[in-house]
Amino acid sequence: MSHNRQIILDTETTGFKPNMGDRILEFAGIEMKSRQLTGSHLHLYIHPDRDIPEDSINVHGITLEKLEGEPKFEEVGQRIADYLRGAELIIHNAPFDVGFLDMEFQRMGLPTISGLGCTVTDTLAMAREMFPGQKNSLDALCNRFEVDRSKRVFHGALIDCELLAEVYLSMTRGQFSLVEDMAEETEEISAARRAARPACLQVLHASAEELAEHEAYLDGLDKAVGGTCRWREEKEAEGAA
């Protein structure tokens, strides 16, 4: 794993087009290290400072009335950037969320996701590779991996992060099992080699015939270089010392 710290991330927005005025309404991220959730999370509702289309409300259930009194992105953007900095981000359909976060950060003059030193793992792309031609929505993956999603009435950033964490662990379990198996196999081979090695190693000395062949080879090197070859120079220097 290239990053010690991973953040499972999701956002809810007013629409689909960050370059056409849509804004983030909800942000959630939960932290994972060594495939274990740490308990650290960041969950924020954010006032978009604009209307929310009815079609979007039908998806996530977030209305302007519910966001009354909540901070605007410029009030929490630095906090979000600091939370994400340097982590590997695990996101389902990553271009969508990264596009919105980059837009919001740029509005504030903050670094983009890549500028924060983050890498991104898109679980939708992973699922399409693993299950080509099949449905790979988060709901479909929860069903496929038997992840309980009974509490998910609307799309919500925090509940979606919790579901995605379980899905991601299920999707990558085989990869990590393979690494663990290889490590165990390597240790077994090393132990077998240590057990087979004798306590005292026998030293084999060159025979008179082998020594004569070696000297003849060095004579040929001396002739080729027109003097004393490097081997004999070093041996003479060792003898002088």
Side-chain angles (χ1 to χ4, degrees), residues 48-121:
D49 204 24
R50 54 150 292 170
D51 66 301
I52 306 174
E54 194 67 29
D55 288 347
S56 297
I57 295 174
N58 291 337
V59 173
H60 48 59
I62 302 174
T63 64
L64 277 179
E65 287 74 21
K66 288 185 178 181
L67 296 176
E68 190 68 35
E70 298 292 350
K72 297 179 182 179
F73 194 92
E74 50 265 34
E75 299 174 64
V76 296
Q78 185 66 61
R79 184 179 174 191
I80 293 173
D82 291 342
Y83 185 71
L84 300 180
R85 191 180 304 275
E88 177 189 5
L89 308 183
I90 311 297
I91 311 173
H92 200 68
N93 191 18
F96 178 87
D97 300 270
V98 170
F100 269 94
L101 285 167
D102 280 350
M103 175 273 295
E104 296 283 11
F105 287 150
Q106 288 174 326
R107 286 171 64 106
M108 292 182 61
L110 294 174
T112 61
I113 291 296
S114 62
L116 291 169
C118 300
T119 60
V120 178
T121 295

Side-chain angles (χ1 to χ4, degrees), residues 26 28 138 151-152 154-164:
E26 183 184 9
L138 184 56
K151 296 180 181 179
R152 190 191 196 219
F154 289 106
H155 286 262
L158 186 58
I159 184 64
D160 284 1
C161 284
E162 293 169 348
L163 295 174
L164 183 58

